[in-house]
């Protein structure tokens, strides 16, 4: 091999090596970005579980900027009150390869639309999401949502849809004075999130709404409610006339003026 | 000529190793977040160096899951209900789709309250129950897909 040929081989190797190193660096960079995004998404979910919604959204937005084609961080970063932002999720969902991701995105978009009094906009027939959103829409329109009876073989509901539906239906049942429905929805919310800030109130509704719980125990549950305690206890006294005497003995103002 | 080929071969091997490291390193970093050894926090079985199997999970599987962001925030429990199944507490008994679950203790949960629920387990989530209920679904709610580390196996 002549020195010219050796130089040619060397230069070719150097060029190929540089290309490979650049490719490796690119793969490594995208891998690290993905890893950071996964880590941030996981932290955002943990924050959501602790009701730090604003912090979770901020962190999820950071993760979404790292992996713009991924549905999970984009959904976590989403402000559902902003319908334009909700519509943008559709484009990300369309790019998503996972069917579960697409279904989650569609459920989130449908929930945001129904919460704003609009049509769901997706065919969610055969899924629990569709059934729950229809009940929510009926409740919001002042119609009877009927009972939330599960249907065999339907796709399970998404967590946010389930929570939103139970919350809306609980509010409606409370306004209508339907104690058994209030207990059922409060029980579902309590089992879903037993450590949520509103859990003590759900516990109170489930307990005080049961004729089997003694008044003294119901009062203990009232004492455990910390969020807007006075208003909550007054609302419970209004819903449950049979508990009024016990509540009046401890919080006389809470029952003042109730019929 | 042989020397040149040997150099090229070494070069290719080293570069390939670099590429493999670049691809695998982030994966290993992600794995490193899962501790290799767990303390038994649910009182199920003393475990060290357990192996974890990926989904799908079935009712009765013992799973490890995260309940916080700390390295030791790992709990264990038995999967009692899968997505779409209904969970209800009636008279101190745990019912899944109206079938009584055997071998669980209520540990004084919801004392005096006869009936709690029903609650449908959401998509992707598990209802996991452990012995003392400190970190399980009865104490903290349904376990999300981001929390489940895997099924525990020998």
């Amino acid at each position: 091999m002549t020195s010219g040929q050796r130089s040619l081989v060397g230069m070719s190797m150097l060029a190929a090596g540089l290309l490979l190193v650049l490719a490796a660096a690119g793969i490594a960079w995208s891998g690290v970005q993905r890893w950071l995004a996964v880590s941030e998404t996981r932290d955002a979910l943990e924050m959501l579980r602790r009701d730090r919604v604003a912090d979770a959204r901020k962190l999820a937005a950071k993760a979404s900027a790292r992996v713009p084609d991924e549905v999970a961080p984009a959904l976590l970063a989403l402000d559902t009150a902003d319908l334009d932002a909700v519509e943008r999720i559709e484009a990300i969902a369309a790019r998503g390869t996972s069917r579960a991701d697409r279904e989650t995105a569609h459920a989130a978009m449908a929930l945001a639309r129904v919460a704003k009094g609009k049509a769901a906009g997706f065919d969610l027939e055969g899924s629990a999401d569709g059934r729950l959103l229809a009940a929510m829409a009926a409740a919001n329109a002042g119609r009877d949502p009927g009972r939330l009876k599960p249907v065999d073989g339907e796709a399970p509901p998404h967590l946010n849809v389930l929570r939103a539906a139970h919350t809306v239906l609980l509010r409606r049942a409370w306004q209508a004075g339907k104690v058994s429905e209030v207990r059922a929805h409060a029980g579902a919310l309590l089992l879903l999130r037993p450590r949520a800030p509103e859990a003590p109130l759900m516990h109170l509704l489930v307990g005080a709404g049961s004729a089997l719980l003694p008044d003294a125990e119901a009062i203990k549950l009232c004492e455990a409610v910390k969020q807007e305690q006075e208003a909550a206890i007054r609302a419970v006294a209004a819903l449950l006339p049979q508990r009024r005497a016990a509540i009046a003995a401890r919080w006389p103002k809470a029952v003042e003026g109730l019929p | 000529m042989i020397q040149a080929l040997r150099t090229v071969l070494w070069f290719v091997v080293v570069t390939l190793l670099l590429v493999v490291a670049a691809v695998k390193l982030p994966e290993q970093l992600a794995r490193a977040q899962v501790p290799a050894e767990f303390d038994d926090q649910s009182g199920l079985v003393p475990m060290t160096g357990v192996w974890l199997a990926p989904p799908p999970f079935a009712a009765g599987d013992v799973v490890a899951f995260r309940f916080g962001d700390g390295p030791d925030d790992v709990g264990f429990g038995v999967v009692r209900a899968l997505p779409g199944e209904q969970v209800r507490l009636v008279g101190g008994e745990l019912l899944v789709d109206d079938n009584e679950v055997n071998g669980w203790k209520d540990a004084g949960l919801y004392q005096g309250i006869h009936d709690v629920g029903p609650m449908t387990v959401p998509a992707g989530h598990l209802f996991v129950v452990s012995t003392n209920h400190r970190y399980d679904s009865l104490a903290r709610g349904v376990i999300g897909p981001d929390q489940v580390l895997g099924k525990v196996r020998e």
Side-chain angles (χ1 to χ4, degrees):
Chain A
M1 188 183 272
T2 64
S3 84
Q5 284 172 325
R6 271 202 295 274
S7 297
L8 191 64
V9 169
M11 294 296 275
S12 311
M13 277 167 52
L14 190 64
L18 273 174
L19 281 175
L20 282 169
V21 166
L22 278 176
I27 292 168
W29 179 245
S30 68
V32 168
Q33 288 295 313
R34 200 168 184 77
W35 174 64
L36 287 171
V38 168
S39 184
E40 284 163 355
T41 304
R42 190 176 288 167
D43 289 347
L45 281 163
E46 192 57 43
M47 285 174 180
L48 267 188
R49 273 191 282 275
R50 293 175 190 185
D51 283 293
R52 292 169 54 194
V53 178
D55 291 340
R57 218 171 255 168
K58 210 180 283 178
L59 197 59
K62 213 168 145 189
S64 187
R66 293 186 199 280
V67 283
D69 287 346
E70 286 297 330
V71 172
L75 279 178
L76 283 173
L78 185 67
D79 176 5
T80 46
D82 179 2
L83 272 187
D84 289 339
V86 172
E87 300 308 324
R88 284 197 293 274
I89 290 291
E90 190 160 20
I92 299 175
R95 287 200 296 268
T97 49
S98 150
R99 188 182 162 201
D101 278 354
R102 278 198 300 277
E103 284 175 355
T104 308
H106 289 167
M109 292 173 70
L111 175 61
R113 287 172 184 163
V114 169
K116 288 266 181 187
K118 296 186 172 186
F122 290 104
D123 181 16
L124 298 166
E125 198 71 27
S127 71
D129 285 339
R131 189 168 47 77
L132 292 170
L133 288 167
M136 270 179 76
N140 286 338
R143 299 192 309 271
D144 180 13
R147 294 191 76 85
L148 290 185
K149 208 174 171 189
V151 176
D152 283 343
E154 71 180 0
H158 286 89
L159 178 63
N160 287 347
V161 176
L162 191 61
R163 266 184 65 193
H166 280 302
T167 306
V168 167
L169 297 181
L170 166 68
R171 197 177 299 138
R172 190 179 189 279
W174 200 333
Q175 284 163 353
K178 295 179 177 173
V179 177
S180 67
E181 285 184 32
V182 167
R183 283 195 75 234
H185 294 302
L189 288 169
L190 182 61
L191 287 173
L192 265 179
R193 302 203 324 145
R195 287 161 64 95
E198 69 276 10
L201 177 59
M202 298 302 119
H203 203 155
L204 168 62
L205 288 170
V206 175
S210 161
L212 299 173
L213 193 77
D215 280 344
E217 295 298 320
I219 293 301
K220 279 186 195 167
L221 293 177
C222 287
E223 284 167 350
V225 176
K226 302 294 178 212
Q227 275 189 336
E228 299 174 39
Q229 190 192 47
E230 207 170 300
I233 292 171
R234 185 176 172 78
V236 169
L239 177 72
L240 306 167
Q242 71 274 23
R243 299 285 184 194
R244 271 184 211 166
I247 290 173
R250 176 76 172 77
W251 294 279
K253 279 187 179 174
V255 296
E256 266 177 19
L258 287 180
Chain B
M1 187 67 184
I2 289 171
Q3 200 182 347
L5 276 174
R6 197 184 292 161
T7 312
V8 169
L9 195 65
W10 269 111
F11 178 78
V12 168
V13 168
V14 169
T15 313
L16 277 176
L17 282 174
L18 270 175
V19 171
V20 169
V23 173
K24 291 286 175 189
L25 187 65
E27 202 179 298
Q28 290 304 317
L29 282 171
R31 255 187 217 161
Q33 291 187 314
V34 179
E37 293 191 351
F38 302 116
D39 295 319
D40 173 30
Q41 300 192 44
S42 66
L44 280 171
V45 191
M47 299 178 203
T48 47
V50 293
W51 290 86
L52 299 174
F57 305 119
D61 286 347
V62 177
V63 291
F65 56 90
R66 289 195 164 281
F67 56 79
D69 47 12
D72 297 327
D73 295 342
V74 176
F76 296 90
V78 181
V79 177
R80 292 301 189 189
L82 298 166
E85 292 182 330
Q86 286 212 308
V87 176
R88 186 174 196 168
L89 290 165
V90 180
E93 297 296 338
L94 177 66
L95 306 183
V96 174
D97 281 350
D98 292 330
N99 299 311
E100 202 174 299
V101 171
N102 296 316
W104 87 293
K105 291 176 189 166
D106 73 352
L109 288 160
Y110 305 119
Q111 249 176 350
I113 302 177
H114 181 260
D115 193 355
V116 184
M119 179 268 296
T120 306
V121 180
H125 290 66
L126 299 173
F127 193 85
V128 175
V129 178
S130 65
T131 310
N132 57 23
H133 309 307
R134 277 176 72 194
Y135 307 107
D136 68 1
S137 294
L138 285 159
R140 290 170 180 259
V142 287
I143 306 290
D146 60 302
Q147 293 174 277
V148 180
L149 295 170
K151 181 166 71 179
V152 176
R153 58 186 172 91
E154 292 288 327

